[in-house]
Amino acid sequence: MLGCEGAEGRTTIRELPVELLRHIFGFVSDDEADVWDWCGDEQDEEEARFRSAEAYLKDIRCLSLFPYSIASVCTTWRDVVSQVPAHWTYLAIFLDSNLEQDSVASFASNLRLSGDLQLYILVGRRYPEACSDHSRSREESRVREIMDIIQPHMRRCRSLVFDVTHTSSLPRIATDFTAVAPQLTYLSLRATVGNGLRSGRDDAPLIKTYQFPKLEEIDMDGWNFVDLFQNVRWWFDHIPRHSEWKTLTGSIAHYHPASDSPLDPTRFFLFDAFPIFSIFGRLELDDLDFDSIPMDMKERETLLGEEVVHVEYTIRLSRLSATFTGSIIDCLFAEVEDPNVVIDRCPLSLTERFPPDSPLELHGVESPEDLCRLLKGWQGDKLEVYNSPGFDDQVLDIIGSTWPDEPTDRLLVPCLTELCLLGCKITAKSLRKMVERRREVIKADLSLRSYAVLDTETEDNLRVTASVVDALDSEAEEDLKWFKENSRIPYQYSVFMNANLVDGGSDTL
């Protein structure tokens, strides 16, 4: 027996055979493999791309992460795990940590333990919420030290992620990646603060060879993007163009020029980047201040040149100006058929129209007038709106309304089959009115039933997930009763709802 008081021939855990320890550690390694799914080969594309990176990094920051925790127990255990190179192929080093396992010397030693196997490397922060300017110089110097250590191993890197505080700490793609990485499929250069300083060393020689021939996904800061465009524009021509069934994924975040002066050399024109944006099948643009001006249709047609074809195109726009947002939607989407669009905290006042048939996901919309204008005539089948005070009963009425002055009723939003409204300013009364109005119109117009994607025996074609903001008073009692009834069981016409009824608190049904 193992470690049992009074048992004859008792054996302590320190006396276990090396072969058994190696077997046990192998099970531990397999059990923690999903912690690294975000940078692995078998990741689910939608979950891995749009699930918050913080969800994965929280586990990786844990002090009990394998193999570091095992290796720190005793010399014997460290020797056992050190003899298995596969245990050292997923490596993390944290810039803001003073732990021995996060020292540059330990990182270099762990790289050697991995032998000649493929590498998945994270350079991050153990305490990301504690960012401050006084730590910037230390972060920059540590990143440069670590890059010098990684360079000889770039040929083995499958995934390389930098998750730092300041954009100025990130490696500079145009100078710092001097070695070719023939196996690298994922490169991520992310920062929390766009501090307006160009990444890397300005005095270093520019690269002359493209480094990532198998690249499938890239995240970079806006300063790296502009730097590449201005100094080694040919770099973008060598990014692998995947087949129509496999697309390139990318994100560009944080860019604010030093001043508003038109003579400022750090200013960058949005329309110069359009041909580059179009090579991505999935793209996120976040917190970018590129100069943009409205363009007429003829200018738009000459801007992108040949039409870009993707089997699926998804774009997320976050924290952009009204001009930037309008230009992207009105220009780039004119060349892409049915893109999936996510708009997060971007004003829509200068947007002419949504892509006519595209699914839409909106976050943080403030203006009901903009939504009413843009939704009229929109023919997409799926609309999701989250935490948007601008989506109110006025907008909901548009979804349930028909075109005026027409001989027959025709819905303003005719093709909608899925509607999700969470954190919006809608009431149960308006929600009920919209649902019942659409039902009446669809009953009278058999052609609309072709849009149904739910049970073919039903006469309606709308699935709703919603939260309402009604007070629990007698005036709204009947509508709230309808809402609660349809929240709990499938409605006759395929309406499903999850309710959060607010009355000084919340009551989830």
Side-chain angles (χ1 to χ4, degrees):
M1 295 182 68
L2 177 63
C4 180
E5 288 292 338
E8 294 184 5
R10 184 179 61 181
T11 302
T12 68
I13 196 169
R14 293 179 181 273
E15 297 172 318
L16 288 176
V18 170
E19 293 77 9
L20 182 56
L21 283 173
R22 188 177 295 132
H23 196 62
I24 294 172
F25 295 162
F27 279 118
V28 177
S29 176
D30 293 342
D31 190 51
E32 292 200 357
D34 60 337
V35 173
W36 294 86
D37 279 351
W38 60 282
C39 67
D41 295 327
E42 303 300 328
Q43 57 186 323
D44 177 80
E45 292 183 352
E46 193 67 19
E47 178 183 1
R49 184 69 193 97
F50 292 107
R51 178 186 175 192
S52 169
E54 190 63 28
Y56 293 107
L57 291 174
K58 182 179 180 180
D59 289 333
I60 294 175
R61 295 187 188 108
C62 181
L63 291 173
S64 64
L65 183 69
F66 181 87
Y68 306 104
S69 56
I70 296 294
S72 64
V73 171
C74 63
T75 303
T76 300
W77 285 24
R78 167 116 187 142
D79 290 343
V80 172
V81 294
S82 298
Q83 293 168 9
V84 184
H87 291 338
W88 302 94
T89 55
Y90 292 86
L91 298 178
I93 180 171
F94 297 99
L95 304 168
D96 56 352
S97 170
N98 293 319
L99 297 174
E100 172 59 27
Q101 70 185 54
D102 291 320
S103 69
V104 173
S106 291
F107 179 69
S109 173
N110 295 340
L111 274 173
R112 290 191 294 271
L113 292 176
S114 65
D116 202 37
L117 300 179
Q118 285 186 346
L119 293 170
Y120 301 81
I121 297 176
L122 166 70
V123 181
R125 298 160 293 164
R126 196 174 289 280
Y127 312 104
E129 65 282 353
C131 64
S132 61
D133 276 344
H134 75 267
S135 63
R136 186 176 65 181
S137 59
R138 180 175 185 267
E139 183 181 76
E140 291 177 6
S141 63
R142 291 207 73 193
V143 168
R144 291 181 179 179
E145 281 185 276
I146 292 167
M147 273 300 298
D148 290 340
I149 293 172
I150 291 175
Q151 284 290 0
H153 302 275
M154 281 300 299
R155 62 181 179 81
R156 298 195 286 132
C157 286
R158 182 79 173 184
S159 170
L160 180 58
V161 175
F162 284 83
D163 179 56
V164 303
T165 300
H166 306 93
T167 54
S168 59
S169 301
L170 290 168
R172 184 184 177 194
I173 296 176
T175 59
D176 293 346
F177 290 90
T178 56
V180 175
Q183 302 185 64
L184 192 75
T185 59
Y186 180 36
L187 174 64
S188 182
L189 306 178
R190 294 193 299 251
T192 303
V193 179
N195 59 334
L197 297 177
R198 177 163 295 171
S199 310
R201 309 177 178 116
D202 288 335
D203 58 346
L206 297 173
I207 56 171
K208 299 185 181 301
T209 304
Y210 181 76
Q211 314 101 310
F212 317 119
K214 290 188 177 181
L215 193 65
E216 297 176 3
E217 181 172 353
I218 182 168
D219 305 323
M220 70 174 83
D221 62 299
W223 290 89
N224 253 310
F225 178 83
V226 173
D227 183 45
L228 286 168
F229 188 92
Q230 293 177 340
N231 294 301
V232 285
R233 186 172 179 176
W234 56 263
W235 189 89
F236 294 103
D237 297 331
H238 293 270
I239 293 180
R241 270 50 166 187
H242 299 287
S243 68
E244 61 176 335
W245 299 109
K246 189 170 186 178
T247 58
L248 181 69
T249 297
S251 70
I252 306 168
H254 304 307
Y255 184 83
H256 294 271
S259 72
D260 294 330
S261 169
L263 301 179
D264 184 348
T266 64
R267 300 205 68 82
F268 183 75
F269 286 93
L270 168 64
F271 300 115
D272 290 338
F274 269 19
I276 298 171
F277 290 167
S278 63
I279 70 176
F280 293 93
R282 289 193 295 272
L283 177 64
E284 179 176 355
L285 305 175
D286 177 25
D287 187 33
L288 301 174
D289 183 11
F290 294 167
D291 286 346
S292 55
I293 56 175
M295 302 179 70
D296 60 33
M297 187 57 67
K298 185 175 181 180
E299 289 175 311
R300 296 175 192 171
E301 291 174 355
T302 59
L303 182 66
L304 293 173
E306 297 182 5
E307 181 178 355
V308 179
V309 178
H310 295 284
V311 66
E312 180 182 349
Y313 190 88
T314 300
I315 188 165
R316 185 183 188 103
L317 308 177
S318 301
R319 300 182 294 177
L320 306 175
S321 69
T323 307
F324 195 126
T325 304
S327 298
I328 288 287
I329 292 176
D330 298 334
C331 247
L332 183 60
F333 291 170
E335 299 297 318
V336 180
E337 183 178 355
D338 298 339
N340 296 305
V341 185
V342 180
I343 299 175
D344 183 4
R345 292 164 291 169
C346 298
L348 301 171
S349 56
L350 298 182
T351 301
E352 293 182 9
R353 62 179 177 83
F354 286 135
D357 303 321
S358 299
L360 290 177
E361 182 180 325
L362 307 176
H363 298 253
V365 180
E366 300 285 346
S367 169
E369 292 77 15
D370 290 341
L371 281 171
C372 289
R373 172 175 55 85
L374 293 168
L375 285 174
K376 289 180 180 177
W378 173 69
Q379 298 184 46
D381 62 356
K382 185 176 182 180
L383 175 63
E384 300 175 71
V385 188
Y386 301 95
N387 302 317
S388 296
F391 198 106
D392 57 14
D393 287 350
Q394 176 186 355
V395 183
L396 201 58
D397 187 58
I398 292 293
I399 295 177
S401 297
T402 58
W403 290 96
D405 304 324
E406 290 199 3
T408 59
D409 286 342
R410 187 164 65 90
L411 289 168
L412 292 174
V413 185
C415 307
L416 190 63
T417 59
E418 292 188 54
L419 178 62
C420 180
L421 305 173
L422 299 177
C424 302
K425 294 181 64 176
I426 60 173
T427 63
K429 180 178 180 179
S430 293
L431 186 64
R432 180 181 184 182
K433 179 182 176 182
M434 180 274 293
V435 169
E436 293 180 345
R437 177 57 177 153
R438 287 185 67 90
R439 182 189 309 144
E440 292 173 3
V441 174
I442 290 171
K443 275 185 176 181
D445 188 349
L446 296 179
S447 65
L448 287 177
R449 298 189 191 179
S450 63
Y451 293 113
V453 295
L454 303 175
D455 187 349
T456 56
E457 295 181 0
T458 65
E459 297 179 3
D460 196 10
N461 69 335
L462 182 63
R463 178 190 292 268
V464 179
T465 303
S467 60
V468 296
V469 294
D470 299 73
L472 299 179
D473 54 29
S474 57
E475 184 176 341
E477 184 176 350
E478 183 180 348
D479 297 315
L480 289 173
K481 181 180 178 182
W482 171 88
F483 186 62
K484 293 166 75 173
E485 288 174 350
N486 289 285
S487 298
R488 290 173 174 167
I489 59 173
Y491 191 56
Q492 181 181 356
Y493 296 106
S494 302
V495 180
F496 300 85
M497 302 172 200
N498 296 318
N500 293 312
L501 306 183
V502 179
D503 180 22
S506 64
D507 179 21
T508 303
L509 298 179

